[in-house]
């Protein structure tokens, strides 16, 4: 069964996602989130988001998806205990140390492997499964055939982006932000927007299928591409879970619902 998962940067986004029919919502708090410079939700807003979502049978996943320093371990444990007490339905992590501490501190809190782990093959999926992860977000560069092959070889819940954000040429490696003038941590600066502002031209699709570059020669590969049409069809037909693209403003996923109605109802994966 497919799960339609939508991002939310505020309580208004959470409510919009629920209203639009999302099965689950993922969000970041004010700590340990790669989207540090987004609005995000404070602890009380996270509680409210969980309570509201659960009233409608919608799950809430929280990102704890940066690499954590030794000096932050006590704060991390406190934050994980809070998320467990708030009854979030899972945490999305990048750092394996965070996964280990979560197992030790909040053993019943489900672990999701972030796309920042760049899991691109079945061995990576099996590795996370052995570590106790319940879900994995695959690297956004994979083709439909590669995604299908992985899904056929694992019982682990598999998630893919069906409408990728325009980030750097290889997705999920947010350390690149620090080399582009950002802070020295893996915080996302949404480089796709920066690149668009400086006039960089992108092309989607396989290299052999890309259109000829414009006259100025600037034609960089856009790794996530515009995955909406193909992956929406596959995801909502039940082959794997799906994540709607990150957006900074309230959004609607009704287009994805319409797609689902043509090929089968959207159903929670759990």
């Amino acid at each position: 069964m497919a799960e339609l998962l939508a991002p939310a940067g505020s309580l208004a986004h959470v409510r919009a996602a629920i209203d639009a029919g999302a099965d689950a919502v993922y969000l970041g708090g004010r700590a340990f989130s790669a989207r540090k410079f987004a609005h995000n939700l404070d602890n009380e807003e996270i509680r409210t988001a969980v309570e509201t979502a659960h009233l409608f049978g919608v799950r809430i996943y929280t990102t704890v998806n940066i690499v954590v320093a030794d000096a932050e371990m006590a704060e991390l444990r406190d934050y994980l205990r809070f998320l467990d007490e708030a009854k979030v339905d899972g945490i999305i992590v990048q750092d394996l140390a965070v996964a280990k501490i979560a197992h030790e501190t909040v053993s019943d809190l489900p672990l999701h492997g972030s796309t920042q782990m760049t899991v691109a093959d079945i061995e990576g999926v099996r590795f996370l499964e052995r570590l106790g992860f319940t879900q994995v977000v695959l690297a956004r560069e994979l083709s439909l055939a590669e995604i299908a092959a992985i899904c056929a070889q694992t019982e682990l819940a598999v998630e893919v982006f069906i409408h990728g954000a325009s980030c750097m040429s290889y997705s999920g490696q947010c350390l690149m932000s620090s080399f582009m003038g950002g802070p020295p941590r893996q915080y996302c600066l949404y480089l796709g927007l920066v690149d668009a502002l400086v006039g960089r031209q992108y092309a989607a699709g396989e290299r052999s299928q890309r259109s000829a570059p414009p006259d100025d020669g600037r034609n960089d590969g856009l790794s996530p591409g515009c995955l909406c049409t193909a992956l929406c069809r596959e995801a909502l037909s039940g082959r794997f879970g799906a994540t709607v693209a990150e957006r900074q403003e309230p959004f609607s996923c009704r287009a994805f619902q319409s797609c689902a109605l043509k090929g089968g109802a959207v159903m929670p994966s759990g």
Side-chain angles (χ1 to χ4, degrees), residues 154-172:
T154 182
E155 295 299 317
L156 197 67
V158 173
E159 178 185 331
V160 298
F161 282 80
I162 61 174
H163 194 293
S166 299
C167 49
M168 60 172 286
S169 292
Y170 203 91
S171 67

Side-chain angles (χ1 to χ4, degrees), residues 134-225:
T134 61
Q135 188 157 315
V136 57
V137 188
L138 295 180
R140 285 177 277 182
E141 287 70 31
L142 296 181
S143 67
L144 282 173
E146 290 168 326
I147 294 168
I150 290 172
C151 290
Q153 299 177 74
T154 182
E155 295 299 317
L156 197 67
V158 173
E159 178 185 331
V160 298
F161 282 80
I162 61 174
H163 194 293
S166 299
C167 49
M168 60 172 286
S169 292
Y170 203 91
S171 67
Q173 305 305 300
C174 300
L175 182 61
M176 186 67 175
S177 291
S178 65
F179 300 124
M180 300 290 287
R185 287 290 291 271
Q186 289 183 272
Y187 293 133
C188 176
L189 295 183
Y190 216 27
L191 294 178
L193 296 181
V194 177
D195 288 339
L197 289 173
V198 299
R200 184 172 294 176
Q201 302 296 316
Y202 289 103
E206 301 295 334
R207 287 185 181 275
S208 61
Q209 299 172 346
R210 289 179 189 158
S211 58
D215 293 338
D216 62 9
R218 292 177 297 181
N219 189 249
D220 299 316
L222 179 61
S223 58

Side-chain angles (χ1 to χ4, degrees), residues 71-92:
E72 297 171 315
M73 292 303 176
E75 182 184 358
L76 172 64
R77 287 187 172 88
D78 289 342
Y79 186 58
L80 291 173
R81 292 188 188 99
F82 159 73
L83 294 176
D84 187 49
E85 186 270 332
K87 301 188 185 304
V88 302
D89 298 285
I91 56 172
I92 303 169

Side-chain angles (χ1 to χ4, degrees), residues 8-155:
S10 68
L11 278 175
H13 291 181
V14 173
R15 295 183 181 112
I18 294 170
D19 180 63
D23 300 306
V25 177
Y26 74 97
L27 51 85
R30 299 287 172 86
F32 303 107
S33 174
R35 285 291 176 87
K36 179 179 180 179
F37 303 104
H39 170 75
N40 293 324
L41 285 75
D42 62 28
N43 285 2
E44 285 308 308
E45 288 175 320
I46 290 175
R47 290 182 192 275
T48 301
V50 172
E51 291 170 0
T52 302
H54 287 179
L55 284 174
F56 294 91
V58 174
R59 291 172 287 281
I60 294 288
Y61 307 136
T62 302
T63 56
V64 188
N65 59 342
I66 63 169
V67 175
V68 179
D70 287 343
E72 297 171 315
M73 292 303 176
E75 182 184 358
L76 172 64
R77 287 187 172 88
D78 289 342
Y79 186 58
L80 291 173
R81 292 188 188 99
F82 159 73
L83 294 176
D84 187 49
E85 186 270 332
K87 301 188 185 304
V88 302
D89 298 285
I91 56 172
I92 303 169
V93 307
Q94 173 191 187
D95 190 342
L96 290 178
V98 173
K100 181 178 185 295
I101 291 170
H103 274 308
E104 295 170 350
T105 308
V106 286
S107 58
D108 293 331
L109 192 59
L111 290 173
H112 296 191
S114 169
T115 190
Q116 292 169 299
M117 285 184 164
T118 320
V119 176
D121 52 49
I122 185 60
E123 291 305 323
V125 172
R126 288 171 178 162
F127 174 71
L128 294 185
E129 191 169 12
R130 289 194 296 271
L131 293 179
F133 282 73
T134 61
Q135 188 157 315
V136 57
V137 188
L138 295 180
R140 285 177 277 182
E141 287 70 31
L142 296 181
S143 67
L144 282 173
E146 290 168 326
I147 294 168
I150 290 172
C151 290
Q153 299 177 74
T154 182
E155 295 299 317

